[in-house]
Amino acid sequence: MFGHRPTQPGQSQVSVPAPAAAMAPAASDLKLGKKVNEGKTKEVYELPDIPGCVLMQSKDQITAGNAARKDRMEGKAAISNTTTSCVFQLLQEAGIKTAFVRKQSDTAFIAAHCEMIPIEWVCRRIATGSFLKRNPGVKEGYKFYPPKIEMFYKDDANNDPQWSEEQIIEAKFCFAGLTIGQTEVDIMSRSTQAIFEILEKAWQPQNCTLVDLKIEFGVNVLTKEIVLADVIDNDSWRLWPAGDRSQQKDKQSYRDLKEVTPEALQMVKRNFEWVSERVELLLKSKSQGRVVVLMGSSSDLSHCEKIKKACATFGIPCELRVTSAHKGPDETLRIKAEYEGDGIPTVFVAVAGRSNGLGPVMSGNTAYPVVNCPPLSADWGTQDVWSSLRLPSGLSCPTTLSPEGAAQFAAQIFGLNNHLVWAKLRSNMLNTWISLKQADKKLRECSL
């Protein structure tokens, strides 16, 4: 679909894990080993001084239709490298396992050495392009809920035929010692949807629709685990500003050219530049937010520190305060007003055992969300919790007994308007599912 062919089955390729570093030494400063692979748009080199890693060097080349159309586009290597580095940094920080290590130069990045799985995973939100040809009767613009997943076997000679899950399993692929079975296929399928949804959400603040996405996975030769690999650049997706196909900024503008002229190629380059300039904004959010934990006594500090630590995993600032709604209601309301007055969206977490007046008093005097997270004692915990659950009418502060749950509740609120927080929540869901899937596989293997 996308005309982007990183590697052939069984060949090693770069992929993508860790935040993209700032401009490190130029690629020429690295000691390069042998060339591992060369595709239409990139070259891959071993790095003798960095065991287990390779260098991905992009080319100033653009292709379409299995390279039936091929042109040099000056500056494309730098544009593609910037796009890939930002996208993988976003995914990496969200918690998606990738092979990306760091951006090395304008046109190259370092990645974990992976053996590539020869399947292109395509995720679609909107029906367009090759999907319409393969599914006559479906109108362009049809939306998939949930997004639709398709798989294509990487075989240029046969135009990358579409495969089913059963075909992938029956192929009995084995890469870096890992056999690709049902568990691995399920993990790649779930990961594809999560990755698409994270990027879709990231583009929304810029009023840009992610129509579809093509990705590939590899097996890290050191860790033997499946990771998101290869690249995600402007060859890998369709992007429609304002949801308008006529404004498309992806490689489809190159595919659609009736004739490749210098002027037409400049138009395509401007589209690629448009994307690379805005992709850095995916790493930022205009929305602010914080959690303020109010504890009735400093003896609850260890409980509150767990909330703060959990907030940090979502990138949410958290402040701890001590105040008692019973013994100093005026001070409690003064602290509340302090945080209401600066305009930063705030979720209050009330930590009070025994008779919890803190959460209800806060809930009755602020329009901001309040959640109870009482520290329960062994002796009176079951009785004390009712002071958090049984509230007067007109109040709405939910109760969670887990400090991590309180932080997640706040993250879900902020995630409505902050794609970076939402990405971490979505990644957590995926990683929890994967851990259960792998545990089940391990248990079944031990039982055989």
Side-chain angles (χ1 to χ4, degrees):
M1 172 187 117
F2 293 90
H4 181 58
R5 307 289 186 270
T7 186
Q8 292 300 313
Q11 289 183 319
S12 297
Q13 173 62 305
V14 217
S15 14
V16 209
M23 214 68 72
S28 58
D29 295 338
L30 284 175
K31 180 181 178 182
L32 298 184
K34 70 177 182 180
K35 185 186 294 186
V36 177
N37 186 36
E38 181 172 4
K40 300 183 228 7
T41 60
K42 54 191 170 291
E43 299 172 330
V44 185
Y45 294 91
E46 288 183 347
L47 295 174
D49 295 335
I50 312 179
C53 289
V54 290
L55 183 78
M56 169 78 80
Q57 177 66 57
S58 296
K59 299 179 181 179
D60 282 342
Q61 184 161 277
I62 185 168
T63 69
N66 285 338
R69 169 178 286 179
K70 180 171 62 176
D71 291 281
R72 173 179 170 78
M73 191 169 84
E74 187 175 355
K76 180 179 180 291
I79 293 170
S80 296
N81 194 51
T82 294
T83 302
T84 287
S85 296
C86 289
V87 169
F88 277 107
Q89 183 179 345
L90 169 68
L91 295 171
Q92 181 92 2
E93 292 178 354
I96 299 295
K97 291 184 178 180
T98 78
F100 183 78
V101 175
R102 71 170 186 264
K103 186 177 181 181
Q104 176 63 16
S105 70
D106 285 346
T107 59
F109 68 86
I110 296 174
H113 188 186
C114 293
E115 289 188 13
M116 296 300 293
I117 301 168
I119 301 294
E120 292 182 343
W121 291 82
V122 176
C123 191
R124 304 179 188 276
R125 177 66 77 188
I126 299 174
T128 190
S130 65
F131 181 87
L132 301 179
K133 297 177 182 178
R134 288 180 285 104
N135 297 273
V138 178
K139 293 183 179 180
E140 182 167 36
Y142 181 93
K143 291 191 174 183
F144 302 107
Y145 302 106
K148 190 171 190 63
I149 306 293
E150 296 179 310
M151 297 82 73
F152 299 87
Y153 175 60
K154 289 172 61 61
D155 182 359
D156 285 353
N158 293 297
N159 292 315
D160 297 347
Q162 186 172 7
W163 271 24
S164 65
E165 289 189 359
E166 293 75 17
Q167 285 174 292
I168 300 174
I169 294 169
E170 287 301 312
K172 294 180 169 56
F173 291 128
C174 184
F175 299 99
L178 179 67
T179 299
I180 307 303
Q182 184 69 62
T183 295
E184 290 68 33
V185 169
D186 290 346
I187 287 173
M188 287 186 283
S189 179
R190 285 281 184 129
S191 297
T192 297
Q193 180 175 338
I195 290 164
F196 175 86
E197 290 175 348
I198 288 172
L199 294 177
E200 177 184 46
K201 184 75 71 173
W203 277 108
Q204 286 174 356
Q206 301 186 56
N207 192 27
C208 195
T209 299
L210 182 63
V211 175
D212 50 33
L213 173 71
K214 187 275 300 179
I215 59 176
E216 297 181 36
F217 296 92
V219 180
N220 186 311
V221 299
L222 294 182
T223 65
K224 312 300 181 184
E225 64 180 348
I226 292 176
V227 296
L228 175 64
D230 191 50
V231 301
I232 297 180
D233 58 15
N234 214 30
D235 294 1
S236 308
W237 54 28
R238 285 187 174 91
L239 282 174
W240 295 353
D244 183 357
R245 181 185 174 181
S246 67
Q247 298 184 48
Q248 62 189 7
K249 298 297 183 182
D250 49 79
K251 196 173 80 169
Q252 191 62 40
S253 60
Y254 174 72
R255 298 190 193 97
D256 291 345
L257 293 178
K258 294 181 179 179
E259 181 182 1
V260 180
T261 63
E263 294 76 18
L265 209 54
Q266 276 299 113
M267 178 274 293
V268 174
K269 183 179 179 180
R270 285 194 298 271
N271 286 340
F272 276 57
E273 289 173 335
W274 186 94
V275 172
S276 68
E277 290 167 0
R278 285 160 179 77
V279 77
E280 295 184 5
L281 298 177
L282 302 186
L283 300 172
K284 304 174 184 177
S285 175
K286 296 179 181 178
S287 175
Q288 290 181 299
R290 69 177 165 219
V291 168
V292 175
V293 179
L294 305 175
M295 66 189 90
S297 167
S298 58
S299 63
D300 299 327
L301 182 60
S302 61
H303 186 83
C304 297
E305 289 284 4
K306 293 177 183 178
I307 299 174
K308 185 174 183 178
K309 182 179 179 180
C311 285
T313 66
F314 295 107
I316 301 172
C318 179
E319 298 183 31
L320 307 182
R321 301 293 296 268
V322 178
T323 185
S324 171
H326 287 113
K327 302 170 185 176
D330 55 338
E331 178 63 10
T332 297
L333 295 180
R334 189 200 67 76
I335 291 174
K336 171 199 72 75
E338 174 186 333
Y339 290 103
E340 289 177 323
D342 60 11
I344 298 175
T346 301
V347 172
F348 291 105
V349 179
V351 176
R354 298 187 181 181
S355 176
N356 177 17
L358 188 56
V361 166
M362 287 293 295
S363 179
N365 288 276
T366 183
Y368 283 175
V370 179
V371 57
N372 292 315
C373 188
L376 301 184
S377 65
D379 295 333
W380 293 93
T382 53
Q383 288 87 351
D384 291 345
V385 73
W386 285 106
S387 64
S388 295
L389 297 175
R390 184 71 169 161
L391 305 177
S393 62
L395 305 186
S396 61
C397 44
T399 297
T400 175
L401 303 183
S402 163
E404 293 77 16
Q408 183 170 335
F409 175 82
Q412 288 170 331
I413 293 174
F414 293 131
L416 295 172
N417 295 306
N418 186 321
H419 69 271
L420 298 179
V421 174
W422 190 92
K424 289 180 171 65
L425 288 164
R426 185 65 181 88
S427 180
N428 281 355
M429 290 171 52
L430 171 67
N431 291 332
T432 298
W433 185 91
I434 289 175
S435 67
L436 291 171
K437 191 76 176 178
Q438 291 174 331
D440 179 60
K441 177 186 176 183
K442 184 176 181 180
L443 182 62
R444 286 185 287 115
E445 289 175 343
C446 291
S447 301
L448 294 178

